Amino acid sequence: MYASSTAAMSELVFYVNGKKIVEKNPSPTTLLADVLRYKLKLTGTKVSCGEGGCGSCTVMVSWFDRSTSKILHYSVNACIVPICLLHGLAVTTVEAVGSTKTRLHELQERLVSGHGIQCGFCTPGMVMSMYALLRSNPVPTELQIEHALKGNLCRCTGYRPILDAFRSFSKDSGCPMGDRCCRNKDKKNSSDVVENCNENKNESDMGKQELIFPSELQLSDVYDQQTLEFKSDEVTWLRPVCLKDLLLLKKQHPEALLAAGGTNVAFYLRNASREKPLVIIATTHITELRSFEENEDGFLVGAMTSMTLLENKLMSLIDKHSETKTRLYHSLLDALCLFGSPQIRNRATIGGSLATASRLADVNVLLLAAGSHVKIASTDGEREVKIHDFFTGKSTTCLKPNEVITDVLLPFSTQDEYCGFYKQSPRKDLTLADVNAGLLMEFEAKNSSTVKNAFFAFGGLSSMLAVAKKSSSFVIGRKLDGSLLNELMLSLANELDQFVSGDDAKSFKVAVAQGFMFKFFLKISHQRFPKLEFLRLFKEEERYLLSSQADLQQKHSGVQVYDIITNQSETDSVGQPVPHRYAKQCATGEAVFIDDILPSQGELYLTLVTSTKASAKILKIDPSKALAMKGVVGFLDHTSIISSNKTGLYLDEEIFATEKVDFVGQTIGAVVAESHEIARKAARAVVIEYEELQPITTIEDAISHNSFHSWPGDMGAINYGNVSKAFGSCDHVIEGELKVGSQEHFYMETNSVRVVPKGEDGEMDVYCGTQYGAGLQNLVASTLNVPCNKIYVHTKRMGGSFGGKEFRSYLITLPSALAAHKFNRPVRCALERRQDMQITGYRRAYLAKFKVGFNNNGKVMALDLDMYSNDGFHPEYSAGFMGQSLFYSDNCYAIPNIYVRGHLCKTNLPPTAAMRGAGVPQGLVICEYWMTRVAEFLKRPQHKIREVNMYRGGDVTFISVPIEDSMTRCFDEVLKQSNYEQALVNIENFNQQSAFLKKGIAVTPVKFSPGLPPSWCMAGAIVNVYLDGSVLLYHGGVESGQGLHTKMIQIASRVFDLSIDKIHISETSTGVIPNSVTTGGSSGTDLNGGAVLDACNQLMARLKPIKDSNPNGKWEDWVKTANEQKINLSASGYYSHAYKEDFDWKTGKGRPYSYYTYGSAVTQVEIDCLSGSYVILKVDIVMDVGKSLNPAIDVGQIEGAFVMGTGLYALEEHLFGANGHLETSGAGKYHIPTISSIPLEMNVSLLKDCGNPQAVYSSKGIGEPPLLLSNSVFFAIENAVIAARRQAGLSPDFAFNSPATTKQIQSACGLGPQHLLKSLVT
């Protein structure tokens, strides 16, 4: 098999956390994350997306570079690294960085104390990205720190506290000792503070804790020189160590894949539809492919050069040579800055990028424009081809089957040559381009303005890289002036139009490409002819348009303002910014999530078999191929049901589909096997035959087919006042509509469950990340036909939930319970990201049609509103959430006449789910949208129109809920904090001067009532005090990162006057707290806090006589005495909200909420009218949280919710195709905010002197209200677009829907070539 004369080894050797790992005949399909988690039991490394797109699985890989005699450390995504690539390397996981059992690493300590941890699922990956950076660069800059974290996603925190914690390691950061820093004192007097200095922390203290690189790998090159061969039934993995052997192998296996960095190999390894075995040849140790050579033509780079190493080499060359000679290298740095993530760049190679021939590869399009050369070798010899001839078609090259790329020539630029790289993508980081470009232009001679040569290449326009040959030829021989630019724009539009025919984003892509050319033209004119100013540019605009991508990177900052209570006991933690109780466990990877629970002997793994059709009859289910696979234990479908096949909130769904499927992702069956890998592979082998029917997938389809879910009872409309009469007396009436897109939860931990039969009497333990344990308990008991008292649901923590684990956790739990019952063995199921996104629900999409009547003073007098929601095939609490939308159709405004109606569209999409805000985010943005239309119509400042219409303290809403004066206080305070009036003037001045950049500003208020339906407003708790004085606390709420457990401990600490270190919460269990309601609606603290308070008060009442008799005693003394006196040291607490009134939909009377949480936000943005990209410059938030139980946690909730809402309103496109398939599935296609998406400056203040007598210790629920404030981002963007349209002379009436994506922004600005050229100086 092996072509080399050297015998191939079949033994894999690598190190993990200093321990030598030897794998004999490893399977080539095995990935590093699987080995770490399932074999080595190092579960600190998490798997979230499974495609290298989120950073949760980040680990550090180290190797000894013998060419430099240095140990190199770099971060990688363990979920996409084949284990066979690690021969002779050392892997470090979070477990080796620090531990609660020994000592936390300094970076873990700072992350904990800096409140950078909420759910904690992403935390180990964050730690490892930062750790790898510090091992390579002990004192990085702040920008380098931000850059290192751009491959890591977090859905909870909003990133700011993570950045703040880590930037303390920066050399830009001041010493935490401030003026007392040792560097500000005489050395002889500095000993008292030197230990706190950043510089010493970074280099001295931290160095004592680092894992030592294995000496075997440093002293011997034996592993570097070994040829390898690993085989499985499906894949053969070969690793030669010299070019000669590589070429022989490629001749022997011309169809073989080459694995250099291996960033794409994992996707091939997971592909089950192979007609013949796959051969992979690893090129990692071919020294000839890792060479560098500088010659007179340029820089010859070995094909195995990683993007990170290439970046470093280019920077060295730029330092060495003149600017004119390295212009291509500057542009390459621009491309690399936006290429993938740090983890991907550390592995991806330049040869691999070229070989994929991707139409979107950032490096490829630039090298194509620059005229690079590619060196190719085979057993037949060597050849060199121009890159223009290298790419031959859609993902194809001129490489023959037996050839490999050996080198790439990166040419030096000439004095008269200019090049540029440009990219537009939906999100700045971790995202493929919508459009990118490599542009080159060369002039005749020094100071000449005549074009000698040009080459314009574009990616993303068609199925392959597009070369604008006509436009490139058109400019040759022409002089660089306004006339040429004018004609070039028209030429480019006509030529590129042909490339993107049939593309639904055609006009956007062509316009963006023209914008790239405009920027390039501008760049050349300023570099070559600085005195030739044929364009009028505002200074700030000029800086933006002329700067490189690297130069545009900016740091993020923020200020958090809140009061800390000082006049209380040291052990009373209420009101203190206490870190998350289990933050240390999360930072060290010790926190156990569902799939981290170590498997029992004989444990089985389940994978769902789901529908691939949106509407179809099931003709045949054939699991025979799956059952024939080794390791498959069984298959379940509707014939496996013990009791009833009906399930769901309204028992209108089937556990397993019987005769028909109604949406893509509907469960048809389940495969049970001995491993995750086998179960997933076997599930793909199950054959389902369908007879397809015509699906309904959109709101518009549902309306035209009259397809709606029924409203229960009298729900569905609210008629307040007399709308018809009011319209007749209004000065103005306007009508319009708004679409609000759906949103995926994208919690970092996918839905997971582990079901363990206890072996007798039908008892089962269910370990599940669910918000509603009691509800799940009932469904499992019903499915197994056993009473609830034999089913125990346990939830220790969740890696995020946001409503997505409230009801639909049963999708995996019920099949797993059936399997556990059938086989009498533990069964677990952990959904892969793409399947989780397809089947588990999402935020509903809305269509609103409104009619608003108002007077000349801006006062709104009447609102007539229809809201349509796309609720999928089953109404998963659709009525309740649309009801919320109706209740909040007024937001913070007193409207005397309202008639609002909700329509629940029934479509062939997966059922929707609860999601943070539950109908309110849609209703509120709709309200703010028509309010903005009123302001625009009257041509008055938007904040003034909002002020005119706002409720005042003492008012009562149209649903009879009283308003507190803190609503207007928040609004007034945020205007003051943001210096709104002056900002408005500054933005207006900016927009008058800037043609291509526009700024926008918006202020929006919010009211939101934390709570659940009145019948659910109850909670239980049990508090146990042990003889050593320690306290074990149980309550019915679940921890998902919102800090609920921490706040419960703080409440207990106040009642007991006891240190929080003595109080512990283990888990939430239906076996301890029965009949608990769901943890949601921002009500967890209100309800469970009341129950904990009740239980603790009972215990303190029992202890009071003992304390009174021994007032100087200690807690432990009182507990011991109480036990001796046979006093019960366990108490069961209960709380039910005193407010029990509900809303009567028939009469329109009643009060559905007890109180509101209030807030206001001012957002300032800057948009690029040429591309549609935007930057959130500044956000100011003022929030009324009552008397905060924990201001640090509350601020964290505010920031995290705001950033999630930014995704909803301005980034995240959640799109289904007409066939019902989710088109934006997976981390690569669904874009949640990254570090680069957050506001450059974010200031949060908690309103002072607030209270709330209706909740524990006068606090308020806070998890959801801040999300609503982020609609201010949407309206600030729209405000900037309006300025652009005004400049372009376009109509002020235009469609602008949510989310405000880059495509929509660019299109709405309407700045085509005719508008660009208006700036020409004539």
Side-chain angles (χ1 to χ4, degrees), residues 1053-1071:
S1053 83
R1054 165 167 284 186
V1055 179
F1056 293 148
D1057 197 14
L1058 190 65
S1059 168
I1060 59 174
D1061 295 331
K1062 286 185 172 291
I1063 306 170
H1064 180 65
I1065 296 177
S1066 175
E1067 65 173 4
T1068 304
S1069 172
T1070 59

Side-chain angles (χ1 to χ4, degrees), residues 186-254:
D186 295 333
K187 289 185 178 181
K188 63 180 181 179
N189 297 322
S190 63
S191 59
D192 59 328
V193 292
V194 69
E195 63 182 13
N196 293 297
C197 180
N198 274 352
E199 185 174 307
N200 291 277
K201 285 277 187 183
N202 290 344
E203 296 179 357
S204 304
D205 189 55
M206 285 170 32
K208 299 174 183 177
Q209 201 171 340
E210 314 305 1
L211 195 68
I212 298 173
F213 184 75
S215 58
E216 180 189 21
L217 301 183
Q218 185 170 353
L219 298 176
S220 172
D221 67 350
V222 61
Y223 299 123
D224 299 342
Q225 302 302 320
Q226 290 175 339
T227 57
L228 305 175
E229 180 175 358
F230 309 125
K231 298 180 67 175
S232 68
D233 293 338
E234 293 184 325
V235 181
T236 296
W237 184 285
L238 306 171
R239 190 193 82 171
V241 292
C242 67
L243 182 59
K244 177 182 177 182
D245 284 355
L246 171 62
L247 300 180
L248 287 172
L249 285 173
K250 200 68 172 80
K251 180 179 181 180
Q252 185 179 353
H253 306 286

Side-chain angles (χ1 to χ4, degrees), residues 34 543 895 923 963 986 1055-1056 1282:
D34 296 330
R543 179 199 65 78
I895 307 167
I963 296 294
N986 295 342
V1055 179
F1056 293 148
I1282 289 171

Side-chain angles (χ1 to χ4, degrees), residues 151-167:
N152 295 75
L153 298 182
C154 174
R155 196 56 152 166
C156 296
T157 65
Y159 300 103
R160 193 278 310 162
I162 299 173
L163 287 174
D164 278 0
F166 286 161
R167 68 162 51 98

Side-chain angles (χ1 to χ4, degrees), residues 126 346 384 417 457 472 584 738 878 1115 1124 1126 1154 1158:
M126 292 282 184
N346 289 336
E384 184 173 326
E417 193 174 51
S472 300
K584 291 183 178 180
L738 175 70
S878 301
W1115 168 260
E1124 291 171 349
K1126 301 180 181 179
S1154 59
Y1158 304 100

Side-chain angles (χ1 to χ4, degrees), residues 1147-1202:
T1147 63
K1149 305 296 182 181
R1151 175 181 166 183
Y1153 306 129
S1154 59
Y1155 73 88
Y1156 288 122
T1157 296
Y1158 304 100
S1160 288
V1162 171
T1163 294
Q1164 300 178 51
V1165 303
E1166 181 180 271
I1167 66 171
D1168 177 352
C1169 301
L1170 303 178
S1171 66
S1173 62
Y1174 64 88
V1175 175
I1176 305 175
L1177 300 172
K1178 185 184 179 190
V1179 171
D1180 290 279
I1181 295 173
V1182 176
M1183 206 87 203
D1184 163 27
V1185 300
K1187 295 187 184 301
S1188 176
L1189 296 176
N1190 187 319
I1193 284 179
D1194 287 347
V1195 166
Q1197 287 293 290
I1198 292 169
E1199 292 175 328
F1202 188 92

